Amino acid sequence: MEKHSRENKREAMQKSECHGVVQLRNRKAGSCDQRTSSSMQIKHRTTVQQSNSSSSTSSPETARKVHPRPSDKLNPKTINPFGEQSRAPSAFAAIYSKGGIPCRLVHGSVKHRLQWECPPENLPFDPLLITLAEGLRETKHPYTFVSKEGFRELLLVQGALEKAVPLLPRLIPVLKAALVHMDDEVFARGLNALVQLSIVVGPSLNDHLKHLLTSLSKRLRDKKFKEPITSALQKLEQHGGNGSLIIIKSKIPTYCSICC
C-alpha cells in the first residue's frame, strides 16, 4: 500500500511539473507573438510614413519649389492679356485685351516689333496717343513694350505735330504720372517719351513744361538718373528754344545750358 501511494504521489508531481512547463511555454509563445505583432505594426507605420513622405517630396509642385527652373530667372514678368487675372486689370490692359490698340506684338529671335493693322499715319491720335502714354506706367510684358514702342512709332508719322499739339493739355498729366512713379523703369520710359514728344512739338511744350520739371528735379538726387535727366533737359532746351531754358532754370537752378 505504501509503495503504491508513493508511486501515485510521484505521478501527480510529474503531471504538475509537466503542466507548469506547458503553461510557461505558452506564456513565452504568447509574449513572443505579441512582440512580433507589435514589431510588424511599427514596421508597417514606418513604411506608410516613408511612402507618404516620398510621394509628397517627389510631387512636381514640390520639386519646382525646391529646384526652380532656370527659365524662371531668365523670363521677364509676363502676363497673358486674355487670361483670368487675380485682380482687376488696368485701363490700358483692359483696352489692349479687347483689341483697342490697333497693333500686335511680333516676337523676334533678337528683338520684338509691332505690326500695325493699318499704317500708323492713318490712325487718329485721339485717343490712341493718350492711351499709349497711359500704358507707360505698366510693369508687365507685353504692355511695357507695346506702350513704349507704340508711342514712339506714332510720333514718327508724317503730320504728327498737327495731331499731337491739340492733345498736350490731356497728354501732360499722363506723362507726369509716369515721371512720379516709384518704379525706375516706368520713370525711364516716361522720360524717353517726354523727349520724343519735345522733338515733335518743339516750343509748344513750353507752356506745360513747369508741370513736369518738379519730378525731374527730385530724381536728380539719385545718382543713377543724373546723366539721363541732364541729357533730357538739354534736348528739351534744344527743341524748346530760349523759352524752355528760362523755365528749366526756374525749376532746376543748377542746370547748365547747352549754350554755355
Side-chain angles (χ1 to χ4, degrees), residues 58-66:
S58 60
S59 65
E61 183 177 356
T62 305
R64 284 195 297 268
K65 292 180 180 179
V66 177

Side-chain angles (χ1 to χ4, degrees), residues 155 160-161 164-165 168 196-206 239:
L155 287 177
L161 172 62
V165 169
L168 287 178
Q196 293 161 7
L197 184 64
S198 173
I199 295 173
V200 173
V201 301
S204 298
L205 187 61
N206 291 347
H239 299 289

Side-chain angles (χ1 to χ4, degrees), residues 57 61 86 109-110 126 132 148 159 170 185 209 215 233 253-254:
T57 55
E61 183 177 356
S86 58
S109 57
V110 179
D126 188 8
L132 291 169
K148 176 186 68 174
R170 295 159 56 196
E185 293 183 359
L209 202 55
S215 58
L233 292 173
T254 57

Side-chain angles (χ1 to χ4, degrees), residues 40-52:
M40 292 178 64
Q41 290 177 357
I42 292 173
K43 289 182 179 180
H44 177 71
R45 285 197 298 269
T46 303
T47 303
V48 171
Q49 291 173 353
Q50 291 177 347
S51 176
N52 292 338

Side-chain angles (χ1 to χ4, degrees), residues 161 164-165 167-169 171-173 175 191 193-213 216 232 235-237 239-241 243-244 247-248:
L161 172 62
V165 169
L167 299 178
L168 287 178
L171 194 57
I172 295 305
L175 289 179
L191 187 64
L194 176 60
V195 171
Q196 293 161 7
L197 184 64
S198 173
I199 295 173
V200 173
V201 301
S204 298
L205 187 61
N206 291 347
D207 293 337
H208 310 276
L209 202 55
K210 60 182 180 181
H211 302 294
L212 304 172
L213 293 176
L216 298 186
K235 291 177 181 177
L236 291 174
E237 179 190 353
H239 299 289
S244 64
I247 299 171
I248 294 173

Side-chain angles (χ1 to χ4, degrees), residues 136 143-153 189 196:
L136 296 173
Y143 307 140
T144 52
F145 181 83
V146 172
S147 59
K148 176 186 68 174
E149 187 64 16
F151 188 88
R152 186 188 71 84
E153 292 186 12
R189 287 194 292 272
Q196 293 161 7

